Amino acid sequence: MSKVMVVTSGKGGVGKTTSAAALGAALAQAGQNVVVVDFDVGLRNLDLIMGAERRVVFDLVNVVQGDAKLPQALIRDRRVDKLHLLPASQTRDKDALTEPGVGKVIDELREQFDWIICDSPAGIEKGATLAMRFADVAVVVTNPEVSSVRDSDRIIGLLDAKTARAERGETMEKHLLLTRYDAARAARGEMMKVEDVLEILAIPLLGIVAESPDVLTASNVGCPITLHNPASVVARAYDEAARRLLGETIVVTTPSERRSLMSRLFGRRAALA
Amino acid sequence: MGKDWQVHAVPSIVANETPAPQTIVIRGRSVLALVIAPQWPLDTWLAALDAQTERSANLFEQRPVVVNLGAAPQGERGPAAALEALVALSARGIKVIGVEGIDPLLMGQTRWSRLPVIPPGRETIREEAPREEGAGMAPVASAPAAPVASLLIERPVRSGQSIVFDQGDIIVIGAVSSGAEVVAGGSIHVYGPLRGRAIAGLTVGAAARIFCRKLEAEMVAVDGRYRTAEHWGPDLHGRAVQVRRDKDVLRISVLD
Amino acid sequence: MSLLNFFRRNRSAPVARDRLQVLLAHERALSGRTDLAKVLQQEILAVIAKHIAIDHDKVIIKLDRGSQVSTLEIDIEIPEATLGAAMVRSAAS
């Protein structure tokens, strides 16, 4: 049974695309057939994060409008062959994506893939509402910071009201993915506590991903972090999150401030060039 | 004996040569508008307003606003001062849909003449279809029903959501998020933290009350009187409270 | 973290810069005009379709844009029967 999963947040810059790529790669490595779909209209990001930017010929809008067939637009990842990408369009036409059109593409994708991950753009406009429209599962990416939490709450409200599932009276499985968590700042009381975020958003916690320079490195080289640096704290958090999505019960641990011997001796690592 | 057959003559409908006149349907609609009353000196009042909106950014967002100009200075300066207030409010993106507390004649001579001047007193707006010859529509009048109903919501009210139930009480089992609002004809009961806005008493007036497990609200209002977080201070913040209107003031008292 | 890791300089930023330069060079050259790859693909398919019936679902286009050289690869699955019939037709003409 295929699952459509939307990765959304409301607020921009919290780690949706990074998370969609990381979770997609982790699920594919676990043996699932995965496609990650970029729902941004006009700004393409997922292809860059996945390192496929030079191979994009056709995109979601091309498929919706009939300029191309789905197999022509899908790009297979060179590192993990169960991982595919359906890129976003660079068009400026906001009405290029239609609900019935997208619905048809999703139905076609369901025939081929176990997981269809919809990378939502920021905001609550058309791209974001279409990304969630046909979802069975939602991952709400949130930073432990007030405006991100407020926006995530708004998005959760939309997930409960404006999706096909909600309109049919079915519940949508919602998960909270807390990203860019900074243990040191949390310890100093500068960052919202995990418990406070959970109390406000009231959805189950999928995982906590620490703030890390490894994320930037991975996107610089165009490789999902779970593939690029699987031993890193971030990759392991995403990997565990993917396994939780597959039904495994793994206790969520809050990242603690971990400093290596070297950085303790020489102070914090300098910003990397 | 044979059966009696009753024959009903069915009148034949003769096609008209001329088409029936178009009927224009006018309906009434009640919307919740906020009424704000600028005070003079205007600069001081505007500064306080800006401070308020900085704390609760969504206070006026998309909300129709009626401006009460009753405090505008009398005499020659009156209209100019009132207009200054309207200009300042529009510049802040506040959607002014009408004014009150000012002589309509004064407004008529200005560029704000398009704004309706709302007469004093509570308005009940009814839905009616016009009686037209041969229109075949019965007039539909809906009077406000006596509030006996209650609306039960068993999940959190999320940011951006607005629950309006003017026929009675609203009961929420869960949180009312910051940026959400609950508007009731009667009372409001929140079995959880109230972080957004609660507006009670639209229909029952001052008899309405607001109850919540944790007061962290952006605004509470009963029958038009409102209070925001700065009014009740840290002593009441986070406590289980009831909010009621006592003559002209809003009283907030601890429950437990 | 091993000693080696600590002293190895992270060279990811130059990689990012190179990727962006290639990508943006292509995107700026395009701006507004149709991608050459798409046009080529449509015209090549049209030519082939004149001789053989093609199922568009069985056409895969692969593109790799480089800084010096770009590669366009078009894979078309043609059933043996169709190919055989086409060859017979062209031999006969």
Side-chain angles (χ1 to χ4, degrees):
Chain A
M1 262 294 285
S2 63
K3 272 194 172 172
V4 178
M5 174 170 99
V6 61
V7 178
T8 183
S9 68
K11 188 147 203 292
V14 297
K16 285 182 293 306
T17 304
T18 304
S19 301
L23 288 171
L27 286 167
Q29 282 189 304
Q32 306 282 307
N33 269 316
V34 180
V35 62
V36 202
V37 185
D38 191 348
F39 268 83
D40 216 317
V41 185
L43 296 172
R44 221 181 243 159
N45 283 309
L46 194 51
D47 59 319
L48 266 179
I49 298 302
M50 294 187 56
E53 74 278 5
R54 289 160 29 165
R55 300 160 59 203
V56 177
V57 186
F58 295 112
D59 54 55
L60 178 58
V61 167
N62 290 140
V63 179
V64 165
Q65 292 183 337
D67 301 329
K69 299 279 184 169
L70 197 51
Q72 291 156 2
L74 287 173
I75 300 174
R76 185 196 293 262
D77 192 277
R78 285 188 173 135
R79 300 155 294 220
V80 181
D81 65 41
K82 285 190 191 267
L83 180 61
H84 293 74
L85 162 69
L86 181 53
S89 168
Q90 299 273 59
T91 181
R92 265 171 294 198
D93 178 9
K94 279 181 297 180
D95 302 317
L97 281 186
T98 62
E99 194 187 305
V102 169
K104 266 187 67 189
V105 175
I106 300 267
D107 287 338
E108 207 182 327
L109 288 170
R110 278 189 193 270
E111 289 167 25
Q112 195 182 336
F113 294 101
D114 302 315
W115 288 87
I116 297 128
I117 300 178
C118 302
D119 180 20
S120 175
I124 48 173
E125 297 307 315
K126 198 161 188 197
T129 51
L130 274 177
M132 64 168 68
R133 180 81 191 147
F134 303 99
D136 306 310
V137 182
V139 170
V140 181
V141 182
T142 309
N143 292 161
E145 178 271 317
V146 287
S147 50
S148 173
V149 173
R150 159 85 77 104
D151 289 359
S152 287
D153 192 62
R154 187 90 155 86
I155 280 287
I156 294 169
L158 290 177
L159 287 168
D160 283 337
K162 294 264 189 278
T163 54
R165 266 191 174 246
E167 286 173 12
R168 287 196 300 266
E170 295 164 21
T171 50
M172 174 177 310
E173 208 183 301
K174 295 184 288 286
H175 301 273
L176 176 66
L177 185 64
L178 212 53
T179 52
R180 307 192 74 166
Y181 180 84
D182 187 324
R185 299 189 71 189
R188 288 198 293 272
E190 289 169 13
M191 196 169 245
M192 279 184 83
K193 293 217 221 81
V194 175
E195 305 84 66
D196 293 338
V197 177
L198 280 173
E199 208 246 306
I200 293 173
L201 295 181
I203 58 175
L205 182 62
L206 182 68
I208 305 175
V209 183
E211 173 78 82
S212 167
D214 296 335
V215 171
L216 179 59
T217 309
S219 80
N220 277 349
V221 303
C223 185
I225 187 158
T226 41
L227 298 177
H228 181 66
N229 194 346
S232 69
V233 175
V234 169
R236 281 188 275 136
Y238 278 119
D239 195 65
E240 280 178 15
R243 288 194 280 145
R244 288 183 195 107
L245 285 170
L246 290 173
E248 264 185 67
T249 311
I250 311 171
V251 172
V252 179
T253 50
T254 309
S256 55
E257 198 185 341
R258 295 160 53 174
R259 302 183 67 183
S260 65
L261 176 65
M262 278 306 177
S263 56
R264 270 198 287 263
L265 287 176
F266 295 107
R268 287 210 159 277
R269 268 159 65 178
L272 302 164
Chain B
M1 193 99 61
K3 262 190 159 170
D4 278 342
W5 290 95
Q6 284 196 301
V7 179
H8 299 271
V10 177
S12 63
I13 297 167
V14 178
N16 285 346
E17 292 302 333
T18 54
Q22 194 104 153
T23 46
I24 308 295
V25 178
I26 300 172
R27 288 216 189 90
R29 185 148 185 256
S30 49
V31 291
L32 179 72
L34 290 181
V35 181
I36 54 176
Q39 303 296 315
W40 274 260
L42 194 59
D43 291 332
T44 320
W45 185 82
L46 285 171
L49 179 70
D50 289 336
Q52 186 75 66
T53 45
E54 217 178 278
R55 274 192 298 272
S56 343
N58 295 344
L59 199 56
F60 294 111
E61 198 176 299
Q62 297 308 321
R63 174 70 67 206
V65 169
V66 170
V67 185
N68 184 312
L69 294 165
Q74 299 295 318
E76 277 181 8
R77 278 201 55 230
L83 297 181
E84 205 190 321
L86 289 171
V87 168
L89 289 170
S90 285
R92 283 157 173 77
I94 290 174
K95 295 175 168 49
V96 181
I97 62 159
V99 295
E100 64 178 21
I102 192 165
D103 186 347
L105 285 177
L106 289 175
M107 295 300 296
Q109 290 145 23
T110 68
R111 68 184 176 98
W112 296 92
S113 57
R114 60 175 176 80
L115 283 179
V117 179
I118 297 170
R122 290 175 57 98
E123 287 279 66
T124 41
I125 299 173
R126 291 151 170 262
E127 256 189 37
E128 262 181 328
R131 282 184 195 269
E132 289 278 337
E133 284 304 320
M137 282 190 294
V140 173
S142 61
V148 289
S150 70
L151 176 68
L152 175 64
I153 296 163
E154 287 182 279
R155 56 182 190 189
V157 182
R158 303 274 178 186
S159 181
Q161 291 177 337
S162 174
I163 314 280
V164 181
F165 184 66
D166 58 5
Q167 295 128 59
D169 292 357
I170 297 179
I171 303 168
V172 180
I173 303 182
V176 175
S177 290
S178 160
E181 73 179 3
V182 180
V183 181
S187 293
I188 295 173
H189 311 252
V190 180
Y191 292 101
L194 173 60
R195 300 190 176 107
R197 296 202 289 230
I199 298 163
L202 236 59
T203 322
V204 305
R209 298 193 185 193
I210 299 172
F211 302 87
C212 69
R213 279 250 181 93
K214 244 182 161 187
L215 180 65
E216 291 172 359
E218 286 161 357
M219 178 178 94
V220 292
V222 176
D223 191 32
R225 285 270 175 272
Y226 75 94
R227 282 276 175 270
T228 54
E230 59 178 5
H231 288 121
W232 58 69
D235 293 337
L236 288 167
H237 188 86
R239 307 292 299 275
V241 301
Q242 83 168 291
V243 181
R244 61 194 163 85
R245 184 162 162 188
D246 183 1
K247 297 201 193 55
D248 250 9
V249 294
L250 220 54
R251 291 209 185 281
I252 302 179
S253 44
V254 176
L255 279 176
D256 47 29
Chain C
M1 185 169 67
S2 76
L3 204 64
L4 206 59
N5 271 352
F6 181 74
F7 287 114
R8 176 169 53 111
R9 286 248 179 278
N10 184 327
R11 289 237 166 258
S12 67
V15 175
R17 185 195 56 216
D18 292 342
R19 288 171 66 211
L20 279 173
Q21 279 174 343
V22 172
L23 178 64
L24 293 180
H26 281 285
E27 289 187 347
R28 283 172 192 152
L30 278 187
S31 55
R33 291 177 288 128
T34 324
D35 195 353
L36 182 61
K38 285 189 199 170
V39 172
L40 277 176
Q41 176 253 336
Q42 279 159 356
E43 292 187 12
I44 293 172
L45 281 182
V47 166
I48 297 176
K50 277 198 254 183
H51 304 276
I52 310 174
I54 312 175
D55 178 1
H56 278 256
D57 273 338
K58 301 279 188 253
V59 178
I60 309 287
I61 321 271
K62 290 192 204 140
L63 179 67
D64 201 339
R65 292 183 189 87
S67 44
Q68 315 286 343
V69 165
S70 294
T71 318
L72 172 67
E73 193 182 311
I74 302 182
D75 288 324
I76 309 173
E77 238 180 61
I78 308 174
E80 265 305 313
T82 320
L83 193 57
M87 288 172 78
V88 167
R89 274 203 306 276
S90 66
S93 61

